[in-house]
Amino acid sequence: DEIQALASVMEKQARLVVKPKEVSQEEKQRKAALLAQYANVTDEEEYPFPDTANGSRTLSALNSHPALFRNTNVEDVLNARKLERELLRDEFQKKKEQDKLQREKDKLAKQERKEKEKKRTQKGERKR
């Protein structure tokens, strides 16, 4: 009984084994083309970084190799900060000019109030 139970369990497991996927000829050709494309990497292309005396890689060595993509993230961030600073500088300059004009207006208004007060005081003194 045990042997038969074991045999039936093994048969069930054998049926549950995943069948190999049927791959079409076109898919095989695509895969082969991709593998061939990536297999054409030479040793120089695979290891393009020349080692310096201490074994580290320098930024200039990375940028000098033509096969590498240029990482512009740092430049983009710096340019964005520079642009933001320029905008803030312009806004500050405009605000400064507006404040200056407002101070001049306030000064003129204050002088006018003083003159009106003087005239009113002079009229009051004349009446006495």
Side-chain angles (χ1 to χ4, degrees):
D1 288 338
E2 291 177 16
I3 295 173
Q4 270 192 338
L6 212 99
S8 66
V9 168
M10 289 176 71
E11 285 177 20
K12 287 179 184 177
Q13 285 181 347
R15 281 187 243 139
L16 292 177
V17 172
V18 179
K19 297 177 184 174
K21 183 179 175 184
E22 295 291 327
V23 181
S24 69
Q25 189 65 22
E26 185 180 319
E27 289 175 349
K28 285 181 184 178
Q29 288 175 349
R30 267 194 234 145
K31 185 176 180 181
L34 277 174
L35 289 174
Q37 178 183 355
Y38 287 108
N40 286 335
V41 176
T42 64
D43 285 343
E44 285 181 18
E45 291 172 338
E46 191 172 347
Y47 303 105
F49 307 111
D51 289 340
T52 58
N54 61 2
S56 65
R57 298 175 182 143
T58 63
L59 186 60
S60 62
L62 293 176
N63 289 335
S64 65
H65 199 279
L68 297 177
F69 290 104
R70 186 169 175 214
N71 188 351
T72 60
N73 292 343
V74 173
E75 290 176 12
D76 292 343
V77 169
L78 291 176
N79 288 337
R81 286 184 183 167
K82 186 177 180 181
L83 182 62
E84 186 178 348
R85 280 194 307 266
E86 288 175 5
L87 289 174
L88 289 174
R89 189 179 307 126
D90 291 344
E91 287 178 18
F92 176 73
Q93 193 66 30
K94 286 178 185 177
K95 186 179 185 313
K96 192 175 174 181
E97 290 173 10
Q98 287 176 349
D99 289 348
K100 188 176 180 180
L101 290 174
Q102 188 62 42
R103 280 193 304 270
E104 288 177 14
K105 286 180 183 178
D106 291 346
K107 198 175 192 180
L108 288 174
K110 188 176 180 181
Q111 278 182 336
E112 287 177 11
R113 279 195 303 269
K114 281 185 180 180
E115 288 175 9
K116 285 182 182 179
E117 185 65 31
K118 266 187 188 179
K119 287 180 184 179
R120 230 183 330 172
T121 310
Q122 288 174 355
K123 282 182 183 179
E125 287 179 6
R126 283 187 214 153
K127 289 181 181 178
R128 287 186 198 177

